[in-house]
């Protein structure tokens, strides 16, 4: 279990956001939201539009505007880590994700979204740890998918190929389903500059395919024993809904810019891709999806 940092960075901000949010909350709506999310989080009962409007008003007010109206990417991550405390409702975490997404767009505008597959920066261990903590703590698709496609996608676009590979290898080794999902879908907003080879490799790695375990973004494979151990660990995810869905989603999104490439990949691997992945991947392609392994 990841350990969250002590309270302090954005405590006053979060208290103000919660106070305003709870004024607009609705108990019946909160119960519906919790049921929809399979009771993986507690909710105040505020929909997205009023949540964003009230958060914007708080962020622009004194004494928060100077620090939090346009925070750095790292400060936004720190605020989010505070918001991830188990006593806070989900709306606060979603506000924090909006803050991170906006900060990512400002910080990595040279490479993201869809401007470059990679940059030349070195990975910062502190930033990588913060991202990993947010992904693996209080995890469900509503937070993980936004973090993956915005925060991680933007940050990875700034890294050199070697640095991105190093982080990916660390995350694969963690044997965490949400990190695996992240590595499949982080390129969702890359468009025509997406690294399709890496995407395919990540899908294969998450599904436990032989021959995929040694390089998540280029590089030599590890030992046969290491690969065998990793394949065995990942094979159990083949029928995991969140992995199969992620694979299909990433492929479907990439089919918008490379339909022929996606079709060729699905045709070549339909016998070992989950049926859900095939169905999702080919939704935009003529002829739809056929075949697909269990």
């Amino acid at each position: 279990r990841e350990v969250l940092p002590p309270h302090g960075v954005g405590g006053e901000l979060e208290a103000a956001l919660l106070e305003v949010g709870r004024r607009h909350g609705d108990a019946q709506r909160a119960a519906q939201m919790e049921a929809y999310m399979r009771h993986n989080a507690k909710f105040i009962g505020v929909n997205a539009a009023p949540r964003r409007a009230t958060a914007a008003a708080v962020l622009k007010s004194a004494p928060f505007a100077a620090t939090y109206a346009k925070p750095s990417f790292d400060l936004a991550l720190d605020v989010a880590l505070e918001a991830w405390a188990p006593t806070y409702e989900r709306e606060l975490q979603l506000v924090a994700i909006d803050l991170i997404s906006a900060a990512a767009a400002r910080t990595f505008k040279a490479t993201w979204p869809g401007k470059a597959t990679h940059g030349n920066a070195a990975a910062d261990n502190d930033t990588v740890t913060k991202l990993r903590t947010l992904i693996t703590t209080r995890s469900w698709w509503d937070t993980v998918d936004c973090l993956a496609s915005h925060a991680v996608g933007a940050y990875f676009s700034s890294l050199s190929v070697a640095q991105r590979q190093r982080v990916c290898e660390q995350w694969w080794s963690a044997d965490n389903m949400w990190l695996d999902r992240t590595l499949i879908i982080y390129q969702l907003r890359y468009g025509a500059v997406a690294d399709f080879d890496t995407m395919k490799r990540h899908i294969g790695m998450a599904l436990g395919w032989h021959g995929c375990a040694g390089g998540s973004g280029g590089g030599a494979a590890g030992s046969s024993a290491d690969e065998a151990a990793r394949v065995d660990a990942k094979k159990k995810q083949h029928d995991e809904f969140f992995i199969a869905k992620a694979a299909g989603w990433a492929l479907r999104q990439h089919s918008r810019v490379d339909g022929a490439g996606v079709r060729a990949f699905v045709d070549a691997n339909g016998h070992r891709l989950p049926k859900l992945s095939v169905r999702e991947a080919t939704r935009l392609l003529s002829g739809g999806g056929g075949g697909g392994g269990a």
Side-chain angles (χ1 to χ4, degrees):
R1 180 183 296 272
E2 302 284 358
V3 179
L4 295 173
H7 190 71
V9 175
E12 292 183 359
L13 171 65
E14 284 142 5
L17 287 167
L18 283 172
E19 180 183 357
V20 174
R22 286 169 178 155
R23 281 193 238 127
H24 294 80
D26 180 272
Q28 184 176 358
R29 187 183 300 117
Q32 293 170 346
M33 290 175 165
E34 290 169 11
Y36 179 66
M37 290 296 170
R38 300 185 184 181
H39 302 283
N40 281 281
K42 290 290 185 181
F43 284 81
I44 298 171
V46 181
N47 286 332
R51 182 191 77 226
R52 288 178 173 136
T54 55
V58 171
L59 290 168
K60 292 177 182 177
S61 67
F64 305 117
T67 303
Y68 298 110
K70 290 186 177 182
S72 68
F73 185 64
D74 278 341
L75 178 57
L77 293 177
D78 287 338
V79 172
L81 287 169
E82 294 284 356
W84 250 243
T87 55
Y88 290 149
E89 291 90 341
R90 199 59 150 187
E91 284 89 346
L92 185 58
Q93 288 131 44
L94 297 175
V95 166
I97 286 176
D98 287 341
L99 203 65
I100 292 172
S101 298
R106 292 189 301 270
T107 305
F108 306 109
K109 61 183 179 181
T111 55
W112 186 87
K115 295 177 182 177
T117 306
H118 60 84
N120 298 304
D124 178 76
N125 290 335
D126 190 44
T127 300
V128 170
T129 298
K130 291 174 185 178
L131 288 167
R132 174 173 168 162
T133 300
L134 293 172
I135 292 165
T136 58
T137 307
R138 304 191 70 180
S139 310
W140 201 240
W141 64 263
D142 58 333
T143 54
V144 171
D145 291 359
C146 290
L147 288 166
S149 60
H150 289 264
V152 175
Y155 184 64
F156 277 12
S157 75
S158 74
L159 302 181
S160 69
V161 172
Q163 289 288 297
R164 182 189 66 191
Q165 178 188 346
R166 179 175 68 82
V167 176
C168 289
E169 287 296 329
Q170 292 172 352
W171 288 9
W172 283 119
S173 299
D175 196 23
N176 179 278
M177 187 266 291
W178 295 109
L179 288 173
D180 290 358
R181 181 175 169 94
T182 295
L183 293 176
I184 293 172
I185 65 173
Y186 78 84
Q187 296 191 81
L188 283 174
R189 302 193 71 207
Y190 279 38
V193 303
D195 183 343
F196 190 32
D197 286 339
T198 292
M199 184 189 301
K200 291 184 290 185
R201 189 177 298 111
H202 284 180
I203 290 170
M205 289 172 72
L207 293 173
W209 295 355
H210 284 280
C212 295
S216 53
S223 70
S224 58
D226 289 342
E227 178 172 351
R230 182 174 290 179
V231 166
D232 288 341
K234 301 298 184 184
K235 272 184 178 178
K236 65 181 181 292
Q237 293 188 146
H238 184 274
D239 294 317
E240 167 57 55
F241 171 83
F242 288 110
I243 294 298
K245 186 77 171 182
W249 185 13
L251 290 167
R252 183 178 74 246
Q253 187 69 7
H254 192 65
S255 75
R256 298 176 186 274
V257 296
D258 184 13
V262 170
R263 169 57 73 186
F265 177 71
V266 171
D267 287 349
N269 296 282
H271 63 289
R272 56 181 182 170
L273 279 166
K275 291 180 180 178
L276 175 59
S277 301
V278 174
R279 186 165 63 248
E280 292 291 325
T282 58
R283 187 181 293 178
L284 303 180
L285 301 176
S286 60

